Structure formats: structure tokens, C-alpha cells
Amino acid sequence: MFFNHISKNLTKIATIGSVLVMGGGLLGGCGATGLNSDAGSSTSKVVKKAPSKLKIGVSISTLSNPVFITLKNELQKYSDKKGSKIIINNANNDTSKQNNDVEDLIQQKVDAIIVNPCDSSAISTVIQKANDAKIPVICIDRGADRGTVVSTVAQQWDKMADTSLDAVYDYYQGKTVKKNNLVPVRLITKENVDSMLK
């Protein structure tokens, strides 16, 4: 029960943290991760818009996992708080559906696309189409093999591993164990991919 409690809280906190970092950096900047590819950050000039003027499209790989349900709920909550319009699609772990959903978002002329890819290779074609349409793309948890993304937001699994083990060690040393540990998330751009993969 102790381990379930720790795991549940870490997962939720890491997911919420990912959403907040991604939301804050939206227009500022696992399978095959795509993190070591040539998919770099965009350098085109940004036309500034208030959050309340943005229409943001989202494609989540699946909603059968509680982590991604939390992601969906937090995206909705945070965009509501900022006054943005958000369109969220569930790909149901189907790369064809996800690509069709993203193409539909491009046709709707959204201001940005946030995607949690089912597959780093399969998503690349529609990311390139979004690039052609001058729509910035942000990836969550998994990158893209090709195309340009503003950033990829990923959890720091090494830190999560260390924090989880420290909780166990502290528990058996009779120390107070933090009930909630905020594990840092990583905002990935082309410039810091190499250091991430070391």
C-alpha cells in the first residue's frame, strides 16, 4: 500500500508538472523517443497573442491510461484558466487516427498543436504538414523523428527513480517520507538533447 501511494502521487505530480511547464512555454519555446533526431526547435518570428485569443489543438495517444486522463483534465483546466479554446482528441493508440486528427486540427487553423505521439516515426509526416502551415507543435512524453517542434516535454525518469528509491530508504531508516514529491520535468529543445542523452 505504501508503494502504491508513492507511485500514484509521483505519477500524478509529474504529469501535472509536465502540463504546467508545457503550458507556460507554449509559444516561448518513450518507444522510440525521437529525442535524438533532427527535430529541432522553431526559430521563426512569433506574432504575439494573448492566451485568451489562442485556439489550441491536442492529440493524446490514449485515454485508457490514468496518467493520460490526468493530462487531459489538466490541459482542459489550465487552458480554461487562461481563457484559451482547446480541442482535445483521443487517438486510441491508433497512429492513423492520430494523424487524421492532427490533419483535421491543421484544417481548423488552430494556433498550436500539442501532441503526445503514439509513435515517433508515424507522427512525423503530420508534424511536417503543421510546419508547412506555420503551426507550432509541442510534443509530450515522446518526440518526433522528423519535422520541427517548439519543444518536447518529458518526465525525468532518472530523477523519478532516485526519488522513489530515496522514499524507500528513508522509510526503512525511520525518517519522515514526503507524501508528495515534485519531480522536475525537462523542457527539451535541440540545444539540450545531447546533454539529456548522456
Side-chain angles (χ1 to χ4, degrees):
M1 183 167 175
F2 166 76
F3 298 107
N4 287 342
H5 176 76
I6 291 290
S7 175
K8 182 177 175 184
N9 281 319
L10 283 177
T11 300
K12 184 173 181 183
I13 290 167
T15 301
I16 292 170
S18 296
V19 174
L20 292 177
V21 169
M22 173 275 308
L26 179 60
L27 291 177
C30 333
T33 63
L35 300 182
N36 59 349
S37 72
D38 61 355
S41 57
S42 172
T43 56
S44 60
K45 185 164 179 154
V46 174
V47 176
K48 292 184 179 179
K49 286 188 180 183
S52 61
K53 301 295 184 185
L54 295 174
K55 178 166 70 171
I56 302 166
V58 178
S59 175
I60 298 175
S61 60
T62 180
L63 290 177
S64 63
N65 184 324
V67 170
F68 293 116
I69 293 172
T70 300
L71 175 66
K72 174 186 177 290
N73 293 341
E74 290 301 319
L75 283 165
Q76 187 69 60
K77 188 192 306 182
Y78 196 63
S79 61
D80 287 348
K81 179 180 176 183
K82 292 291 188 178
S84 306
K85 179 179 180 181
I86 194 162
I87 304 163
I88 301 176
N89 295 304
N90 174 15
N92 289 314
N93 274 328
D94 182 331
T95 57
S96 294
K97 181 180 186 313
Q98 184 163 59
N99 286 354
N100 288 337
D101 288 344
V102 173
E103 286 192 17
D104 187 52
L105 293 170
I106 293 168
Q107 292 301 315
Q108 293 183 57
K109 300 187 186 315
V110 295
D111 296 294
I113 295 172
I114 298 169
V115 62
N116 160 237
C118 296
D119 180 85
S120 298
S121 177
I123 198 66
S124 297
T125 302
V126 288
I127 286 181
Q128 290 172 318
K129 288 181 180 180
N131 294 159
D132 292 342
K134 309 296 185 199
I135 298 172
V137 178
I138 290 85
C139 288
I140 295 180
D141 195 44
R142 182 176 287 129
D145 290 345
R146 297 177 310 282
T148 299
V149 298
V150 173
S151 69
T152 299
V153 180
Q155 297 178 43
Q156 290 185 264
W157 292 104
D158 53 345
K159 300 293 185 190
M160 290 176 71
D162 293 351
T163 303
S164 299
L165 285 169
D166 283 340
V168 174
Y169 301 147
D170 288 348
Y171 178 80
Y172 279 103
Q173 291 298 313
K175 296 179 182 178
T176 301
V177 178
K178 290 182 184 177
K179 295 295 182 189
N180 296 299
N181 287 288
L182 182 59
V183 177
V185 293
R186 224 167 229 160
L187 188 62
I188 304 160
T189 61
K190 188 172 184 177
E191 293 71 27
N192 66 7
V193 165
D194 289 341
S195 64
M196 260 201 69
L197 297 174
K198 288 179 183 177

